[in-house]
Amino acid sequence: MSDKLVIAGREFSSRLMVGTGKYASNEETVKAIEASGAQIITVAVRRVNLDRSKESLLDYIDLKKYTLLPNTAGCYTAEDAIRTCRLAREAGMSDFVKLEVLGNEQTLFPDNEELLKAAKVLIAEGFTVLPYTSDDPIMCKKLEDLGCAAVMPLGAPIGSGLGIRNPYNIRIILDTVKVPVIVDAGVGTASDAAIAMELGCHGVLMNTAIAGAKDPVAMAEAMNLAVRAGRLAYLSGRIPRKLYATASSPIDGLIG
């Protein structure tokens, strides 16, 4: 497909982004990433061994093949998130970052006030910022206006597998911002990913839905196909919904 995902001038043929946590082993992680077809891989900066003094997940990832997206998972203040991004850049990971600033340990919902603070500083320092945020069109517009390269509204709470709980907000966000909209969090199975893409989202990021499956590698392949199918369906243009039936075959010319 010639249809590309473009983020801050970078082109990607895959619209599926995957995380690297919660797998049984580094080997399983790599197999699932390969099956997913993803080109962008997000890694929690605070959960990897950056100095390579001992075995690290980064030892298993071919950075010539994949684009690394360091994330600030586990950060609860703007200062902590900013420091984590700076650490990732100093360690040679990337200045292309997924910004998370959480507000509550139980819900893992974002603290949007702290998120805006962190995004403003990081953008000024030359980072390409992809912020995880609530499915709030006003907040997404504020993040775009700050200079974020994309917005990443949650579909449902992180790891919940509930799917897209508020498709109407997602559609309003798509109408409100011009940067790519990437659903982040809440996907549970392939149909959830397809729905996000059919709404018109530019991509989907997931971790638990794949890593927590009984067969992560098979689920990664399913998500690969679902994202592609959902995008193609969106581009194709679905038929309108109708209350009553419409004959599949024309009635003109029928023998009486």
Side-chain angles (χ1 to χ4, degrees):
M1 292 176 63
S2 60
D3 178 47
K4 303 287 187 181
L5 170 63
V6 181
I7 302 175
R10 306 186 195 193
E11 290 189 354
F12 303 94
S13 56
S14 173
R15 293 175 179 273
L16 175 60
M17 306 177 187
V18 295
T20 52
K22 302 182 179 180
Y23 287 93
S25 66
N26 288 328
E27 290 81 5
E28 183 180 68
T29 306
V30 172
K31 289 179 181 178
I33 291 171
E34 290 175 351
S36 75
Q39 295 171 295
I40 299 176
I41 304 169
T42 184
V43 176
V45 177
R46 301 177 67 177
R47 295 173 187 155
V48 295
N49 179 26
L50 295 178
D51 63 12
R52 309 293 182 91
S53 60
K54 57 182 179 180
E55 186 178 74
S56 168
L57 171 64
L58 298 178
D59 297 325
Y60 289 78
I61 297 176
D62 183 355
L63 297 182
K64 294 180 180 178
K65 183 177 180 181
Y66 300 108
T67 295
L68 207 59
L69 182 66
N71 70 61
T72 60
C75 293
Y76 287 85
T77 66
E79 290 74 17
D80 199 9
I82 293 165
R83 184 165 50 255
T84 300
C85 288
R86 289 170 177 165
L87 178 62
R89 182 158 66 181
E90 290 170 6
M93 292 180 74
S94 181
D95 59 5
F96 189 56
V97 296
K98 176 190 170 187
L99 179 61
E100 296 183 30
V101 187
L102 303 177
N104 181 281
E105 290 187 11
Q106 183 176 15
T107 65
L108 299 181
F109 284 146
D111 183 330
N112 286 323
E113 290 182 2
E114 292 293 295
L115 182 67
L116 286 170
K117 290 180 188 176
K120 184 175 182 179
V121 171
L122 292 170
I123 290 166
E125 294 184 4
F127 285 89
T128 300
V129 177
L130 283 66
Y132 159 71
T133 183
S134 56
D135 56 347
D136 176 359
I138 304 302
M139 182 55 58
C140 287
K141 181 59 178 171
K142 287 182 178 181
L143 289 164
E144 179 188 42
D145 289 344
L146 274 180
C148 290
V151 291
M152 306 180 79
L154 55 84
I158 293 173
S160 68
L162 289 172
I164 311 299
R165 292 295 84 200
N166 196 339
Y168 303 103
N169 269 25
I170 298 295
R171 289 178 63 180
I172 294 171
I173 291 168
L174 287 162
D175 288 340
T176 301
V177 304
K178 294 181 174 63
V179 294
V181 176
I182 300 162
V183 166
D184 179 13
V187 169
T189 190
S191 57
D192 299 329
I195 288 170
M197 298 307 297
E198 288 173 8
L199 286 170
C201 292
H202 302 85
V204 181
L205 190 151
M206 65 185 73
N207 184 182
T208 306
I210 296 176
K214 290 182 179 179
D215 186 338
V217 177
M219 183 60 82
E221 184 178 359
M223 293 299 188
N224 182 357
L225 296 171
V227 168
R228 290 164 59 194
R231 178 64 178 177
L232 190 55
Y234 170 73
L235 294 176
S236 301
R238 64 158 291 141
I239 62 171
R241 292 180 171 88
K242 297 180 180 179
L243 182 60
Y244 294 102
T246 302
S248 297
S249 301
I251 61 174
D252 295 338
L254 287 179
I255 299 173

